[in-house]
Amino acid sequence: MDTEEATTAAETSAPASPRGFYGCAVALIAFFTLIALGAHAFTEFEKGLDGGGQLERAGRSGSAYQPFGPGTTARYEDGLWVTVSFPERQDDGAYSLTVTFKNGTDEELLLGEKSLSDTLEVEPDESGQDYAAGSYVDWLNWDESASALAPPLPEDEERTVPVRLKPDRKGVPVTVEVTPPHSGHRETARFQLTLR
């Protein structure tokens, strides 16, 4: 009789509930979400130690020996993005390009706080090379560029600064150096262009 009761009890036991499976799945999702949030918080903490004026290092560094190319964006750790466009040849032999500042920081930026030459500079020849005699580039709209940089750049807005250059010959390499002001130190982002 005991055997029959044990067999009957085993046969009538309820099948396993899917609630246990769902509970484990929710626990795993919560666990991995906490890991991802922790990794993000650590990354932000590390950026805070570096300072907001550091360039994010993905691919080319924007340094004198690894300049960015035209159309690329320099991303600063505090949320500022700077993009230099491809130069376009005009009918008068000059070249036009733009430097776009996108303020993703949590404060208003004063791009023209210091002199224009501190924020935006154009040098003939390749980045990291000594100035070669005979290479000359005239910045035709320096005043217009300075005026575009002068007003404060509000948070979550962008500003495009026009730059018109006239080289002494076609095919001159040019380095556009961008050093936006920062309360501490901000790295210079260099962009290598060729005026073809």
Side-chain angles (χ1 to χ4, degrees), residues 8-180:
T8 306
E11 290 175 0
T12 59
S13 65
S17 168
R19 286 186 357 194
F21 173 76
Y22 291 131
C24 288
V26 168
L28 282 173
I29 291 171
F31 176 73
F32 286 116
T33 301
L34 287 174
I35 288 176
L37 289 173
H40 177 71
F42 179 75
T43 302
E44 291 301 313
F45 174 73
E46 183 183 32
K47 286 180 182 180
L49 291 177
D50 288 346
Q54 304 295 321
L55 283 167
E56 293 181 358
R57 303 287 185 219
R60 299 189 73 77
S61 66
S63 68
Y65 298 102
Q66 285 189 332
F68 295 115
T72 58
T73 300
R75 293 174 172 88
Y76 289 92
E77 290 184 353
D78 65 354
L80 175 65
W81 290 15
V82 179
T83 305
V84 175
S85 70
F86 284 87
E88 294 181 12
R89 185 172 168 83
Q90 306 297 308
D91 293 337
D92 61 357
Y95 293 81
S96 64
L97 58 104
T98 59
V99 180
T100 303
F101 297 86
K102 184 175 180 183
N103 185 3
T105 68
D106 57 357
E107 62 187 9
E108 181 178 80
L109 293 178
L110 301 173
L111 299 175
E113 182 178 39
K114 299 179 182 179
S115 69
L116 170 64
S117 62
D118 290 340
T119 302
L120 190 56
E121 193 172 333
V122 177
E123 296 289 336
D125 293 321
E126 295 180 14
S127 180
Q129 302 294 319
D130 291 331
Y131 179 76
S135 294
Y136 179 77
V137 176
D138 189 16
W139 190 338
L140 300 176
N141 67 332
W142 189 91
D143 292 335
E144 182 184 0
S145 299
S147 296
L149 282 172
L153 179 60
E155 181 182 346
D156 295 325
E157 289 192 20
E158 67 179 51
R159 174 160 314 135
T160 300
V161 178
V163 176
R164 289 195 74 232
L165 305 172
K166 187 156 189 178
D168 59 352
R169 59 185 167 79
K170 193 175 178 181
V172 170
V174 172
T175 301
V176 177
E177 297 181 356
V178 184
T179 312

